Amino acid sequence: MTRLTRPDLDALPDYVPGRNVADLARELGIAEAIKLASNEVPFGPLPGVPDAVAAAVANVHRYPDMGVVQLRDKLSDRYGVPASRLVTGCGSVALSEHLVKAACLPGDEIVYAWRSFEAYPIIAAGAGAVSTRVPNTPAHGHDLPALAAAITDRTRVVIVCNPNNPTGTAVARAQLDRFVDEVPSDVLIVLDEAYREFVTDDSVPDGIEVYGDRPNVVVLRTLSKAWGLAGLRIGFLVAQPEVAAAVRKVVTPFSTNLIAQAAALAALDQEPEVRRRAALVVAERDRVTEALRKLSVDVPDSQANFVWLPIADRTAGFAAACESRGVIVRAFHPEGIRVTIGTPEENDAFLSAAEAALS
């Protein structure tokens, strides 16, 4: 039979989402399982968002504003950048795809740390680009000198995930300053800052504020995490106008849908509540980290809304043990486990499961 799809995709791993909580609850015969695998915030929609969504539903028979003018203007005011430098899309993941499509031809190279966000190799392969993976440091963070050294004449994009998913580690400004200065001017530096709102270390720079004016820097942000819109998939990037214009040319038309635009506009009015919720997550992050270290797990300091357990060959058994107690975590074989910070009660349930799994 004649093959109708690209053979190189056979070697590409599927993106693995967090397991469905209803499925696990049914298997265990319990009322409800706990999902700490997808880095969602546990507090429900922000005030005003459900009403905005309900009002927008009345117009779902109409196309959304393809220019996303109202939202881009609001993001422009919030982040202090001209609307011409903003592009919205179906989450920062989709914007990563569009950016790579705008920057890379087949055979071009994309450099990124590993382990980092699991979508990066999928995005590279989808564009026919070559992935260059640079191992993390023993402290589970980006090795920026090695990333810079891995850049060749074929490199078009280098990605810095800050804080890094799934390890939660973050790069300080002094290191990032040197890296940005060292990268050739014809290579796009993509700062993926999906978890920026959970950063408490003052040495970790805000990419928009510090590097936003650099010609070859693009900053990715999402409203899925701290802003509580994971189910609606909306994010944005900040780049120089000519880069942003190129990305808009390859964005799927109308992909920032009507409901997501309305929800984002409402969510952006709730910044004090976002900050309050992020502070609750950070407090629980610190508590969970300390508890895990008492269980002799070498958890690195996290600047995200999750923690990383570098337990190597024990990942499968640990994840299964947690699931047997109704708690879903995210296993990355063979490196470790990522655990999203939930409510205090959810975190207590996880810590009990972790203690049993590690004993």
Side-chain angles (χ1 to χ4, degrees):
M1 179 179 176
T2 302
R3 180 161 190 137
L4 300 175
T5 58
R6 288 166 44 186
D8 62 305
L9 297 183
D10 290 347
L12 190 66
D14 293 330
Y15 183 90
V16 181
R19 190 176 178 194
N20 185 282
V21 288
D23 290 343
L24 181 61
R26 261 194 313 273
E27 286 180 20
L28 297 177
I30 59 178
E32 189 175 5
I34 296 170
K35 183 180 178 183
L36 300 177
S38 297
N39 298 344
E40 302 145 328
V41 290
F43 306 117
L46 289 165
V49 169
D51 289 341
V53 167
V57 165
N59 291 306
V60 294
H61 60 300
R62 304 292 187 188
Y63 282 108
D65 172 20
M66 184 170 163
V68 201
V69 173
Q70 191 176 359
L71 178 55
R72 284 171 62 204
D73 285 346
K74 194 155 193 169
L75 289 168
S76 174
D77 290 340
R78 165 65 182 78
Y79 292 97
V81 296
S84 62
R85 295 178 53 198
L86 287 158
V87 185
T88 66
C90 189
S92 55
V93 179
L95 286 166
S96 300
E97 291 181 297
H98 301 320
L99 181 62
V100 167
K101 186 186 293 186
C104 295
L105 292 170
D108 287 341
E109 296 172 353
I110 300 176
V111 176
Y112 52 87
W114 198 253
R115 186 173 282 270
S116 192
F117 185 32
E118 62 186 310
Y120 296 155
I122 299 172
I123 291 168
V130 176
S131 281
T132 300
R133 302 184 186 185
V134 176
N136 286 328
T137 68
H140 314 290
H142 282 29
D143 186 339
L144 291 187
L147 278 173
I151 294 171
T152 73
D153 290 342
R154 295 293 299 170
T155 303
R156 300 271 61 84
V157 174
V158 58
I159 305 173
V160 175
C161 190
N162 201 34
N164 185 44
N165 177 15
T167 63
T169 53
V171 177
R173 177 170 179 174
Q175 301 167 279
L176 200 50
D177 281 351
R178 289 193 294 271
F179 176 77
V180 170
D181 287 340
E182 190 174 353
V183 172
S185 61
D186 62 346
V187 175
L188 279 177
I189 303 169
V190 180
L191 303 180
D192 187 344
E193 297 186 338
Y195 301 94
R196 173 64 206 175
E197 292 82 0
F198 303 105
V199 172
T200 55
D201 183 347
D202 291 339
S203 73
V204 179
D206 179 313
I208 296 175
E209 293 180 1
V210 178
Y211 308 108
D213 290 333
R214 298 271 188 145
N216 64 329
V217 170
V218 179
V219 182
L220 294 171
R221 294 284 180 90
T222 185
L223 300 181
S224 294
K225 310 303 181 187
W227 298 87
L229 299 181
L232 290 174
R233 306 304 301 125
I234 185 163
F236 64 97
L237 66 75
V238 178
Q240 290 303 303
E242 58 273 18
V243 175
V247 174
R248 282 191 213 100
K249 288 182 178 181
V250 299
V251 167
T252 305
F254 304 107
S255 58
T256 308
N257 73 69
L258 182 80
I259 306 299
Q261 290 188 43
L265 288 166
L268 287 168
D269 287 333
Q270 297 294 325
E271 185 163 356
E273 177 62 10
V274 170
R275 292 184 183 277
R276 187 189 74 85
R277 294 180 179 196
L280 294 174
V281 169
V282 167
E284 281 296 290
R285 178 184 77 196
D286 294 345
R287 182 176 74 90
V288 169
T289 298
E290 182 180 358
L292 289 169
R293 287 173 178 169
K294 288 179 179 177
L295 296 174
S296 299
V297 181
D298 187 19
V299 179
D301 290 336
S302 174
Q303 291 294 304
N305 69 330
F306 53 83
V307 294
W308 175 248
L309 287 66
I311 55 176
D313 56 352
R314 293 181 288 166
T315 57
F318 183 93
C322 287
E323 287 193 7
S324 72
R325 293 164 175 82
V327 180
I328 301 170
V329 297
R330 183 72 169 84
F332 292 83
H333 304 300
E335 297 97 340
I337 298 285
R338 189 191 69 197
V339 184
T340 305
I341 299 301
T343 65
E345 296 76 19
E346 291 171 337
N347 299 331
D348 286 342
F350 160 68
L351 289 171
S352 294
E355 185 173 9
L358 292 167
S359 64

